[in-house]
Amino acid sequence: MAAKRGKPKRIGIRDVAEATGLSITTVSHALSGKGQIAPDTRDRVRAAAERLGYRPDPVARGLVSGRTGILGLAVSHMAEGPWEGTYRPYYAAFSAGATMAAIERDYALVVLPGDPASGLWSRVPVDGLIIVDPVREDPLLLDCARRGLPVVTDGRPIDPGYDTVPTVESDLATGMRAILDHLWDSGGRSIALLSGAEADSYTMDCEDLYRRWCAERGTTARIEAPARDEEPAAAARRLLDSPTRPDAVHGLNETYGQALLVAARRLTLDIPGDVRLSVMSETAAPKDWDIPLTVLSLDAKRIGAEAASLLIDTLAGTSRRNPVVPCTVVPRDSTFAG
């Protein structure tokens, strides 16, 4: 009968101390680089640790240092929406950038639900949190402030009292002007904005910049947005089925871009002959778009990387200016025929 296999023993710091004949304190200092330890003793301890297969216990190390080496990431305005909403290209690119930047600096990154009441929050200890698109009366910001948890946001918080929160922002002032100028230069004269119901700085700033641009051009601003419980496609149809249909529309995210395409096809509108379309997106032609849409890219991957780096610097007590990431217009078939 085969011997019953037990769980492999975890090699601890006590085992290294016994193997070297040194105290646990001396071994701990030798492995961590702390204390006044002779170089040959430090080398002997590390060689023994390597031979025995010793690996630091991250839980114990966290208890001593007060740090876990884990960063959290959550999308505020998706707290009440389906989890798959965070798979949008912007969030996917943002998460990829944040993860790579975290790993490069010896941190792990976990994506958490947007609702701090979720049981997952109590089971994943994080050193700090990246909040994407903080909303009005944001429960994540409130919870982190209560717990004293360091925070970095993608987009500034819109409630008072968070002026000192480190923030990464897109250069929307330049980006919105560039995409609206592009729609104008491609022949659009009645340019509308398909906005969202989210109360976050990205939505509010885009609407404000759009109104300013219309005032400068001497055109009438026209903003359409779905109601809280309304599908974006309904708002897009309402806009494109109007007797005073705009000849160009910019959508604030990929979902609105798809809604505009669906509405235009159902109304048998030619793109770009009847209506020119552009959208904020991180891809030029997602597989579910039947025509490549002109995009305003915010470079979400870089924003995510900047946010992770800014949070790590904040944890280290390093102060630096809030990064501002440039935007790029990528023209496609939806604004230029051929």
Side-chain angles (χ1 to χ4, degrees):
M1 182 175 178
K4 191 174 183 179
R5 290 187 178 183
K7 184 178 180 180
K9 177 187 175 184
R10 180 184 180 90
I11 301 299
I13 198 169
R14 185 182 298 276
D15 298 299
V16 180
E18 291 177 355
T20 56
L22 300 170
S23 70
I24 291 176
T25 299
T26 299
V27 170
S28 176
H29 287 174
L31 292 173
S32 66
K34 298 179 180 178
Q36 300 296 319
I37 307 295
D40 60 338
T41 300
R42 194 183 306 277
D43 291 343
R44 182 158 62 96
V45 168
R46 291 179 175 175
E50 181 67 25
R51 184 178 69 255
L52 293 171
Y54 168 76
R55 294 292 181 272
D57 183 341
V59 175
R61 184 170 57 184
L63 290 173
V64 173
S65 67
R67 297 283 175 82
T68 64
I70 302 173
L71 308 180
L73 187 156
V75 182
S76 275
H77 73 242
M78 293 306 300
E80 298 178 0
W83 180 247
E84 60 265 26
T86 59
Y87 297 165
R88 291 176 185 168
Y90 179 88
Y91 300 132
F94 185 102
S95 298
T99 299
M100 287 188 290
I103 290 174
E104 285 175 358
R105 297 184 63 176
D106 203 27
Y107 275 82
L109 185 137
V110 296
V111 178
L112 296 166
D115 180 7
S118 165
L120 190 59
W121 279 80
S122 62
R123 304 197 304 272
V124 181
V126 296
D127 294 335
L129 182 67
I130 300 169
I131 300 178
V132 183
D133 293 333
V135 296
R136 194 179 303 282
E137 298 180 357
D138 195 296
L140 293 175
L141 282 169
L142 289 169
D143 187 66
C144 290
R146 178 181 60 80
R147 295 162 54 193
L149 186 69
V151 167
V152 163
T153 63
D154 165 27
R156 74 183 189 289
I158 58 179
D159 287 327
Y162 298 106
D163 295 343
T164 61
V165 171
T167 298
V168 181
E169 294 204 68
S170 302
D171 185 6
L172 289 176
T174 302
M176 281 296 290
R177 177 176 293 278
I179 192 65
L180 294 170
D181 282 347
H182 170 77
L183 291 172
W184 181 275
D185 292 342
S186 67
R189 289 299 177 266
S190 57
I191 302 173
L193 187 71
L194 183 59
S195 188
E198 298 88 358
D200 56 42
S201 62
Y202 169 72
T203 302
M204 296 168 61
D205 288 349
C206 285
E207 290 183 358
D208 181 59
L209 291 164
Y210 165 74
R211 290 189 184 96
R212 292 187 193 182
W213 182 88
C214 288
E216 291 175 9
R217 289 284 186 177
T219 64
T220 301
R222 185 172 180 180
I223 300 176
E224 189 68 58
R228 175 61 66 177
D229 297 323
E230 185 181 36
E231 290 295 324
R237 172 108 187 199
R238 191 163 55 243
L239 185 64
L240 297 185
D241 200 21
S242 165
T244 56
R245 184 185 69 239
D247 57 15
V249 185
H250 178 64
L252 288 194
N253 65 34
E254 295 95 348
T255 299
Y256 302 145
Q258 179 66 14
L260 287 166
L261 278 176
V262 169
R265 292 312 188 207
R266 288 178 177 172
L267 294 168
T268 65
L269 298 177
D270 179 69
I271 304 170
D274 295 320
V275 61
R276 300 155 186 81
L277 300 178
S278 65
V279 63
M280 187 284 283
S281 178
E282 294 310 303
T283 61
K287 60 183 180 181
D288 54 352
W289 291 359
D290 62 0
I291 182 172
L293 294 186
T294 290
V295 302
L296 174 64
S297 170
L298 307 188
D299 199 349
K301 186 175 180 181
R302 178 176 170 184
I303 294 174
E306 292 281 5
S309 295
L310 185 59
L311 180 54
I312 294 169
D313 288 344
T314 300
L315 292 169
T318 303
S319 177
R320 64 185 180 97
R321 296 183 64 179
N322 291 340
V324 178
V325 177
C327 306
T328 305
V329 173
V330 184
R332 291 290 186 266
D333 294 352
S334 65
T335 52
F336 285 129

